[in-house]
Amino acid sequence: VHAGHRLATMLRWTRAWRLPHAGLGFSSPSFTRVPVTPSSSRGRGGAEPRPLPLSYRLLDGDAALPAVVFLHGLFGSKTNFNSIAKALAQQTGRRVLTVDARNHGDSPHSLDMSYEIMSQDLQDLLPQLGLVPCVIVGHSMGGKTAMLLALQRDMAVRQFLLTNLVEVDGRFVWRVNLDALTQHLDKILAFPQRQESYLGPTLFLCGGNSQFVHPSHHPEIMRLFPRAQMQTVPNAGHWIHADRPQDFIAAIRGFLV
């Protein structure tokens, strides 16, 4: 409640500050005119708002690595991340994109303003720049935009699942047995009870962002595999080999030595 009140106060203050103070001897502030796009959802039969061509700055880097995209917060702009973006590009070799949200910075103005349309703006821009997939870093309003974008466009999982879709006799079918997998999913997620132990060297490689291997599982793992090594790959989910292939290979090579 306090944060919302503070933002509302900032907005009222900003709107008041932009008005010329007649009779006070102040010169009228100068502003760069930004194109205003009429709302496409009003007076047009309820049509969906259209994406806008956002203003952005792209720092060059290795096209083989997912780019990093920075989204600023309310009242901010892409310049908020200038120094961080430059440092990250130099230190990681990745492309780094900073973007002005609609109605902010140098991006066009519009009467349409929602997280849905801000997400759509990015879904329109990122493929144009060849930045899909990418890593999105958002602050405040930008963070919420990043959250919605991820929920709407979880392409990695979708593409992984679609590898199980094949064409047979002119129609698409699943090549996995969904009925059997659904019926026995609880068994797949569990593990058989065993009393014996394996005494050979074993590597358990876990993604830092994955919750599949919980610390509560460690005692049972060590009972079954007394020589087990537990290694975590940062910034990786359940599919470590897809998220961090080089770290995955390095971990295996280290284990083989």
Side-chain angles (χ1 to χ4, degrees), residues 188-209:
I188 297 172
L189 294 178
F191 188 76
Q193 293 292 327
R194 309 295 297 185
Q195 297 303 318
E196 67 273 23
S197 298
Y198 173 71
L199 301 181
T202 311
L203 173 65
F204 282 79
L205 198 58
C206 309
N209 300 331

Side-chain angles (χ1 to χ4, degrees), residues 71-81 98-101 104-106:
L71 307 179
H72 63 77
L74 185 64
F75 301 119
S77 72
K78 61 180 180 292
T79 61
N80 297 156
F81 294 107
T98 54
V99 185
D100 282 333
H104 289 74
D106 295 323

Side-chain angles (χ1 to χ4, degrees), residues 54 101-102 104 112-123 141-142 145 148-149:
L54 302 180
R102 59 171 51 212
H104 289 74
D112 292 311
M113 190 67 183
S114 67
Y115 285 113
E116 288 80 5
I117 190 57
M118 287 191 285
S119 172
Q120 192 60 51
D121 288 340
L122 292 168
Q123 292 179 42
M141 180 185 78
T145 303
L148 182 60
L149 178 60

Side-chain angles (χ1 to χ4, degrees), residues 58 62-69 95 97 119-136 149 153-156 158-159:
L58 179 60
D62 188 349
L65 298 173
V68 180
V69 179
R95 296 164 294 171
L97 179 74
S119 172
Q120 192 60 51
D121 288 340
L122 292 168
Q123 292 179 42
D124 188 64
L125 174 66
L126 295 177
Q128 292 181 23
L129 300 178
L131 301 184
V132 179
C134 62
V135 178
I136 301 182
L149 178 60
R153 306 292 290 182
D154 195 354
M155 290 301 294
R158 189 175 306 175
Q159 290 173 348

Side-chain angles (χ1 to χ4, degrees), residues 27-89:
S27 59
S28 299
S30 61
F31 299 97
T32 302
R33 291 195 173 273
V34 180
V36 178
T37 302
S39 171
S40 58
S41 61
R42 296 173 175 83
R44 296 192 181 183
E48 289 295 322
R50 294 171 298 181
L52 295 181
L54 302 180
S55 175
Y56 62 88
R57 183 187 183 203
L58 179 60
L59 301 180
D60 199 16
D62 188 349
L65 298 173
V68 180
V69 179
F70 283 97
L71 307 179
H72 63 77
L74 185 64
F75 301 119
S77 72
K78 61 180 180 292
T79 61
N80 297 156
F81 294 107
N82 274 354
S83 59
I84 293 178
K86 183 177 180 180
L88 196 64

